Amino acid sequence: MSDQEDNVPAPAAAAPQEEVKEEPLNINSALALVIKKAKLHDQVLHGLNEVVKSIDRKKALLIVLADDCQEAKYKKLVETFAKQNEIPVLTSKRQIMAEMVGYHKVDTEGKPRKMKNVSSIAILDWVEDNKATRFVLDHIGAK
């Protein structure tokens, strides 16, 4: 055996962990977390064609519709179709929805640029049962 085995450094002491403060959930922040998780598993669709297909096939668990959508027929179609198939609908702003889906470019400072508005999102699977998912489910149940 060599002398190098005796010179093994002792493991470093663990650094004290900082407490991470969780900000209180609201519907937009919870929805953003749910969509982010679902998007990682390809369980999010956006755009009229894909959302209506998912409603028709009864694969969508939740529809998020832009309340500032300029096309009244668009909103009426999605709302009526979702109601017919008993799929809950939540509303949000188009730019917020674009950030949730990641439908924008990010500059070098990490700020979103070149936003493309999204008017509808369908969530196909909750993917994970966490605090945000339960918050969204409770919000849907309360409606």
Side-chain angles (χ1 to χ4, degrees), residues 5-62:
E5 289 180 9
D6 295 334
N7 297 334
V8 176
Q17 295 181 356
E18 295 179 21
E19 289 185 31
V20 178
K21 291 185 179 179
E22 290 184 28
E23 50 184 75
L25 284 177
N26 62 28
I27 189 61
N28 282 333
S29 63
L31 201 53
L33 292 172
V34 169
I35 289 172
K36 183 179 178 183
K37 286 283 185 184
K39 187 168 169 64
L40 290 173
H41 297 277
D42 286 333
Q43 298 300 314
V44 174
L45 301 174
H46 60 85
L48 180 64
N49 190 28
E50 291 183 8
V51 170
V52 170
K53 280 183 186 178
S54 70
I55 295 171
D56 186 37
R57 295 174 182 158
K58 296 183 180 179
K59 290 186 176 182
L61 299 176
L62 175 68

Side-chain angles (χ1 to χ4, degrees), residues 40 56 103 119 136:
L40 290 173
D56 186 37
Y103 209 47
S119 293
V136 172

